[in-house]
Amino acid sequence: MNPVGVFDSGVGGLSTLAALQAELPTERFVYFADTANAPYGERGDAYVIERSRKVVEHLLGAHDIKALVVACNTATTAAIHVLRAEFPTLPIVGLEPALKPAVATSRTGHIAVLATRGTLASARYAALRDSFAAAATVRPVPCDGLVKAIEGFDSPAIAALCARYMAKAGPFGDGPGQVDTVVLGCTHYPLVKDELQRHAPPTLRFIDTGAPVAQQTRRVLASLGRLAGDGSEGGLVLESSGDPAVLEAAAARWLPARAQGASVPAANAI
Ligand code: DGL
Protein backbone atom coordinates (compact mmCIF):
# COMPACT_ATOMS: atom_id res chain seq x y z
CA MET A 1 0.00 0.00 0.00
CA ASN A 2 1.19 3.51 -0.80
CA PRO A 3 2.00 5.84 2.09
CA VAL A 4 -0.06 8.65 3.57
CA GLY A 5 1.63 12.05 3.19
CA VAL A 6 1.67 14.43 6.16
CA PHE A 7 3.11 17.93 6.05
CA ASP A 8 3.62 21.03 8.11
CA SER A 9 5.75 24.15 7.88
CA GLY A 10 8.18 22.44 10.23
CA VAL A 11 8.17 20.14 13.24
CA GLY A 12 4.72 21.06 14.57
CA GLY A 13 2.89 18.44 12.55
CA LEU A 14 4.77 15.78 14.51
CA SER A 15 2.04 16.26 17.14
CA THR A 16 -0.52 15.23 14.51
CA LEU A 17 1.72 12.45 13.20
CA ALA A 18 1.96 10.96 16.70
CA ALA A 19 -1.84 10.73 16.82
CA LEU A 20 -1.95 9.26 13.30
CA GLN A 21 0.58 6.56 14.17
CA ALA A 22 -1.36 5.67 17.32
CA GLU A 23 -4.66 5.45 15.42
CA LEU A 24 -3.29 3.77 12.28
CA PRO A 25 -0.29 1.64 13.31
CA THR A 26 -0.26 -0.41 10.11
CA GLU A 27 -0.04 2.60 7.77
CA ARG A 28 3.13 3.90 6.17
CA PHE A 29 3.60 7.65 6.55
CA VAL A 30 5.84 10.18 4.82
CA TYR A 31 6.24 13.32 6.92
CA PHE A 32 7.50 16.45 5.19
CA ALA A 33 8.73 19.40 7.25
CA ASP A 34 9.06 22.56 5.15
CA THR A 35 11.64 23.84 7.60
CA ALA A 36 13.57 25.92 5.09
CA ASN A 37 10.44 27.98 4.49
CA ALA A 38 8.93 28.16 7.99
CA PRO A 39 7.18 29.77 9.65
CA TYR A 40 4.09 30.07 7.46
CA GLY A 41 1.87 31.84 9.97
CA GLU A 42 3.10 35.40 9.59
CA ARG A 43 3.63 35.44 5.81
CA GLY A 44 0.29 35.69 4.04
CA ASP A 45 -1.89 33.38 1.95
CA ALA A 46 -0.07 33.59 -1.40
CA TYR A 47 3.14 32.34 0.16
CA VAL A 48 1.43 29.50 2.04
CA ILE A 49 -0.51 28.41 -1.06
CA GLU A 50 2.65 28.31 -3.16
CA ARG A 51 4.60 26.33 -0.57
CA SER A 52 1.72 23.90 0.04
CA ARG A 53 1.39 23.25 -3.71
CA LYS A 54 5.13 22.55 -4.00
CA VAL A 55 5.09 20.15 -1.05
CA VAL A 56 2.11 18.20 -2.43
CA GLU A 57 3.73 17.96 -5.87
CA HIS A 58 6.82 16.54 -4.17
CA LEU A 59 4.87 14.04 -2.05
CA LEU A 60 2.98 12.80 -5.11
CA GLY A 61 5.98 12.72 -7.41
CA ALA A 62 8.49 11.16 -5.03
CA HIS A 63 6.20 8.97 -2.92
CA ASP A 64 2.92 8.48 -4.82
CA ILE A 65 0.97 9.17 -1.63
CA LYS A 66 -2.55 7.71 -1.44
CA ALA A 67 -3.87 10.49 0.83
CA LEU A 68 -2.67 13.73 2.40
CA VAL A 69 -3.00 15.12 5.91
CA VAL A 70 -2.31 18.85 6.09
CA ALA A 71 -0.95 18.87 9.66
CA CYS A 72 -0.93 22.64 9.82
CA ASN A 73 -3.82 24.95 10.70
CA THR A 74 -2.26 27.82 8.78
CA ALA A 75 -1.88 25.81 5.57
CA THR A 76 -5.37 24.37 5.95
CA THR A 77 -7.03 27.74 6.34
CA ALA A 78 -5.00 29.39 3.56
CA ALA A 79 -4.62 26.63 1.01
CA ILE A 80 -6.79 23.53 1.40
CA HIS A 81 -9.42 24.75 -1.08
CA VAL A 82 -6.67 25.32 -3.66
CA LEU A 83 -5.11 21.90 -3.03
CA ARG A 84 -8.48 20.16 -3.35
CA ALA A 85 -9.15 21.96 -6.63
CA GLU A 86 -5.69 21.28 -8.09
CA PHE A 87 -5.36 17.66 -6.91
CA PRO A 88 -8.95 16.41 -7.24
CA THR A 89 -8.14 12.69 -7.01
CA LEU A 90 -6.07 13.03 -3.85
CA PRO A 91 -8.04 12.60 -0.61
CA ILE A 92 -7.05 15.50 1.66
CA VAL A 93 -7.68 15.82 5.39
CA GLY A 94 -7.08 19.22 6.93
CA LEU A 95 -7.33 20.60 10.40
CA GLU A 96 -8.56 23.78 11.96
CA PRO A 97 -8.80 25.09 15.52
CA ALA A 98 -11.03 22.79 17.60
CA LEU A 99 -13.68 25.31 18.56
CA LYS A 100 -16.52 22.81 18.39
CA PRO A 101 -15.33 20.45 21.17
CA ALA A 102 -14.09 23.43 23.18
CA VAL A 103 -17.46 25.14 23.10
CA ALA A 104 -19.23 21.84 23.78
CA THR A 105 -17.23 21.13 26.94
CA SER A 106 -16.63 24.61 28.36
CA ARG A 107 -18.62 25.23 31.52
CA THR A 108 -18.01 28.99 31.66
CA GLY A 109 -18.63 29.60 27.96
CA HIS A 110 -15.33 31.48 27.71
CA ILE A 111 -12.57 29.96 25.62
CA ALA A 112 -9.26 31.19 24.22
CA VAL A 113 -7.75 30.19 20.89
CA LEU A 114 -3.97 30.23 20.56
CA ALA A 115 -3.02 30.19 16.87
CA THR A 116 -0.86 31.88 14.27
CA ARG A 117 -1.76 35.34 13.01
CA GLY A 118 -2.50 33.83 9.59
CA THR A 119 -4.98 31.30 10.94
CA LEU A 120 -6.79 33.88 13.06
CA ALA A 121 -7.01 36.33 10.14
CA SER A 122 -8.41 33.75 7.71
CA ALA A 123 -11.92 33.63 6.30
CA ARG A 124 -12.26 29.99 7.36
CA TYR A 125 -11.48 30.88 10.95
CA ALA A 126 -13.94 33.80 10.86
CA ALA A 127 -16.69 31.48 9.65
CA LEU A 128 -15.86 28.94 12.34
CA ARG A 129 -15.82 31.59 15.07
CA ASP A 130 -19.09 33.12 13.87
CA SER A 131 -20.84 29.76 13.93
CA PHE A 132 -20.11 29.52 17.68
CA ALA A 133 -20.54 33.20 18.52
CA ALA A 134 -23.91 32.66 20.16
CA ALA A 135 -22.69 29.74 22.26
CA ALA A 136 -19.42 31.09 23.66
CA THR A 137 -17.12 34.06 24.03
CA VAL A 138 -14.00 33.28 22.05
CA ARG A 139 -10.75 35.16 22.71
CA PRO A 140 -8.21 34.96 19.85
CA VAL A 141 -4.53 35.08 20.84
CA PRO A 142 -2.08 35.35 17.92
CA CYS A 143 1.20 33.86 19.11
CA ASP A 144 3.79 35.65 16.96
CA GLY A 145 7.26 34.16 17.29
CA LEU A 146 6.28 30.97 19.10
CA VAL A 147 6.61 28.68 16.05
CA LYS A 148 10.06 30.14 15.34
CA ALA A 149 11.14 29.56 18.94
CA ILE A 150 9.93 25.94 18.86
CA GLU A 151 11.65 25.33 15.50
CA GLY A 152 14.88 26.65 17.04
CA PHE A 153 14.54 24.64 20.30
CA ASP A 154 14.99 28.02 21.96
CA SER A 155 13.89 27.21 25.52
CA PRO A 156 14.22 30.74 27.00
CA ALA A 157 12.17 32.22 24.13
CA ILE A 158 9.58 29.44 24.41
CA ALA A 159 9.22 30.09 28.13
CA ALA A 160 8.90 33.87 27.70
CA LEU A 161 6.40 33.63 24.84
CA CYS A 162 4.25 31.00 26.57
CA ALA A 163 4.08 33.26 29.63
CA ARG A 164 3.16 36.28 27.49
CA TYR A 165 0.43 34.57 25.48
CA MET A 166 -1.11 32.70 28.41
CA ALA A 167 -1.38 36.06 30.21
CA LYS A 168 -3.36 37.32 27.21
CA ALA A 169 -5.53 34.19 27.11
CA GLY A 170 -6.66 34.44 30.75
CA PRO A 171 -7.91 35.12 33.36
CA PHE A 172 -8.46 31.40 33.87
CA GLY A 173 -10.83 29.66 36.21
CA ASP A 174 -14.24 28.08 36.55
CA GLY A 175 -16.01 31.27 37.65
CA PRO A 176 -18.27 33.52 35.57
CA GLY A 177 -16.38 35.26 32.78
CA GLN A 178 -13.26 33.14 33.27
CA VAL A 179 -11.63 31.06 30.54
CA ASP A 180 -11.73 27.34 31.35
CA THR A 181 -10.69 25.97 27.93
CA VAL A 182 -7.77 26.80 25.64
CA VAL A 183 -7.74 25.63 22.03
CA LEU A 184 -4.27 24.86 20.69
CA GLY A 185 -4.94 26.09 17.15
CA CYS A 186 -1.45 25.45 15.78
CA THR A 187 0.12 22.01 15.61
CA HIS A 188 3.35 23.31 17.12
CA TYR A 189 1.70 24.26 20.40
CA PRO A 190 0.91 20.77 21.78
CA LEU A 191 4.69 20.26 21.73
CA VAL A 192 5.04 22.96 24.43
CA LYS A 193 1.86 22.20 26.36
CA ASP A 194 3.80 21.62 29.59
CA GLU A 195 5.25 25.12 29.35
CA LEU A 196 1.80 26.63 28.64
CA GLN A 197 0.35 24.67 31.56
CA ARG A 198 2.83 26.32 33.94
CA HIS A 199 0.86 29.55 33.57
CA ALA A 200 -2.58 28.10 34.25
CA PRO A 201 -4.48 26.32 37.01
CA PRO A 202 -4.49 22.50 36.75
CA THR A 203 -8.20 22.54 35.93
CA LEU A 204 -7.68 24.43 32.64
CA ARG A 205 -8.49 22.22 29.65
CA PHE A 206 -6.29 22.26 26.55
CA ILE A 207 -7.83 20.98 23.33
CA ASP A 208 -5.93 19.99 20.22
CA THR A 209 -6.90 18.27 17.01
CA GLY A 210 -4.50 15.32 16.81
CA ALA A 211 -6.87 12.51 17.77
CA PRO A 212 -9.94 13.72 15.83
CA VAL A 213 -7.84 14.27 12.70
CA ALA A 214 -6.42 10.76 13.00
CA GLN A 215 -9.95 9.35 13.34
CA GLN A 216 -11.11 11.36 10.34
CA THR A 217 -8.15 10.05 8.33
CA ARG A 218 -9.17 6.50 9.23
CA ARG A 219 -12.74 7.20 8.07
CA VAL A 220 -11.56 8.69 4.77
CA LEU A 221 -9.17 5.81 4.01
CA ALA A 222 -11.80 3.22 4.97
CA SER A 223 -14.47 4.82 2.79
CA LEU A 224 -12.12 4.63 -0.21
CA GLY A 225 -10.91 1.09 0.54
CA ARG A 226 -7.39 2.43 1.06
CA LEU A 227 -6.69 1.34 4.65
CA ALA A 228 -3.54 -0.75 5.02
CA GLY A 229 -4.48 -4.25 6.13
CA ASP A 230 -3.86 -5.74 9.55
CA GLY A 231 -0.90 -7.67 8.19
CA SER A 232 0.92 -4.50 7.11
CA GLU A 233 3.90 -3.35 9.10
CA GLY A 234 3.54 0.38 9.05
CA GLY A 235 6.49 2.69 8.65
CA LEU A 236 7.73 6.24 8.55
CA VAL A 237 9.87 8.34 6.26
CA LEU A 238 10.87 11.78 7.51
CA GLU A 239 11.91 14.48 5.06
CA SER A 240 12.85 18.11 5.48
CA SER A 241 13.45 21.00 3.12
CA GLY A 242 15.88 22.35 5.71
CA ASP A 243 18.46 20.84 8.02
CA PRO A 244 17.61 17.13 8.41
CA ALA A 245 19.26 17.12 11.85
CA VAL A 246 16.62 19.52 13.15
CA LEU A 247 13.77 17.21 12.16
CA GLU A 248 15.66 14.20 13.46
CA ALA A 249 16.14 15.85 16.85
CA ALA A 250 12.50 16.95 16.96
CA ALA A 251 11.26 13.47 16.11
CA ALA A 252 13.48 11.90 18.76
CA ARG A 253 12.02 14.32 21.29
CA TRP A 254 8.36 14.50 20.31
CA LEU A 255 7.47 11.38 18.37
CA PRO A 256 6.87 8.47 20.75
CA ALA A 257 6.96 5.82 18.01
CA ARG A 258 10.07 7.15 16.27
CA ALA A 259 12.10 4.21 14.99
CA GLN A 260 15.65 4.45 16.23
CA GLY A 261 18.44 4.91 13.75
CA ALA A 262 16.57 6.11 10.65
CA SER A 263 18.03 9.23 9.08
CA VAL A 264 16.18 12.15 7.57
CA PRO A 265 16.92 12.94 3.93
CA ALA A 266 17.03 16.57 2.92
CA ALA A 267 14.76 17.63 0.08
CA ASN A 268 16.25 21.02 -0.57
CA ALA A 269 15.20 21.20 -4.19
CA ILE A 270 11.49 21.55 -3.60
N1 DGL B 1 2.04 24.22 12.67
C1 DGL B 1 1.52 25.36 11.92
C2 DGL B 1 0.05 25.54 12.25
O1 DGL B 1 -0.60 24.60 12.68
C3 DGL B 1 2.41 26.53 12.17
C4 DGL B 1 2.42 27.50 11.06
C5 DGL B 1 3.65 28.36 10.96
O2 DGL B 1 4.60 27.91 10.35
O3 DGL B 1 3.61 29.50 11.44
O4 DGL B 1 -0.51 26.60 12.07
Side-chain angles (χ1 to χ4, degrees):
M1 267 286 187
N2 295 7
V4 176
V6 182
F7 91 93
D8 178 46
S9 61
V11 303
L14 293 175
S15 66
T16 312
L17 179 62
L20 285 162
Q21 288 189 305
E23 174 73 25
L24 298 163
T26 61
E27 293 294 340
R28 291 166 52 223
F29 293 98
V30 182
Y31 181 89
F32 190 92
D34 197 13
T35 307
N37 304 292
Y40 286 176
E42 293 152 47
R43 281 189 153 125
D45 285 3
Y47 180 89
V48 178
I49 288 169
E50 187 48 29
R51 286 311 311 159
S52 300
R53 177 186 289 128
K54 282 265 181 328
V55 172
V56 177
E57 282 169 356
H58 167 72
L59 288 170
L60 281 169
H63 301 285
D64 196 16
I65 56 170
K66 64 179 176 180
L68 175 76
V69 178
V70 182
C72 177
N73 294 262
T74 309
T76 299
T77 51
I80 200 165
H81 56 290
V82 176
L83 298 178
R84 286 191 169 130
E86 293 184 3
F87 306 95
T89 59
L90 179 68
I92 301 178
V93 177
L95 54 86
E96 54 194 11
L99 264 67
K100 189 174 176 185
V103 170
T105 55
S106 171
R107 289 182 298 263
T108 64
H110 288 257
I111 68 176
V113 181
L114 308 189
T116 66
R117 191 163 287 280
T119 293
L120 293 172
S122 69
R124 278 181 81 93
Y125 175 76
L128 192 63
R129 179 202 60 209
D130 290 349
S131 67
F132 294 108
T137 301
V138 179
R139 185 173 309 160
V141 182
C143 300
D144 293 350
L146 186 51
V147 165
K148 190 159 178 259
I150 294 168
E151 289 287 322
F153 300 96
D154 184 344
S155 300
I158 292 169
L161 292 169
C162 286
R164 180 190 304 169
Y165 296 132
M166 286 299 275
K168 291 194 172 162
F172 303 119
D174 288 324
Q178 294 182 322
V179 169
D180 66 354
T181 307
V182 169
V183 175
L184 301 178
C186 167
T187 53
H188 282 73
Y189 305 164
L191 305 177
V192 295
K193 190 169 139 194
D194 289 351
E195 192 59 46
L196 295 166
Q197 178 73 67
R198 280 161 44 83
H199 307 282
T203 51
L204 185 77
R205 267 189 307 271
F206 289 95
I207 300 201
D208 75 74
T209 20
V213 165
Q215 288 153 12
Q216 173 65 5
T217 304
R218 170 186 284 286
R219 281 191 290 272
V220 168
L221 292 175
S223 72
L224 296 167
R226 293 190 193 179
L227 271 177
D230 284 346
S232 309
E233 264 213 9
L236 174 63
V237 170
L238 294 173
E239 282 187 341
S240 172
S241 59
D243 182 353
V246 171
L247 181 56
E248 189 65 64
R253 180 164 170 181
W254 285 308
L255 204 58
R258 175 73 180 127
Q260 294 302 310
S263 65
V264 182
N268 289 312
I270 87 141

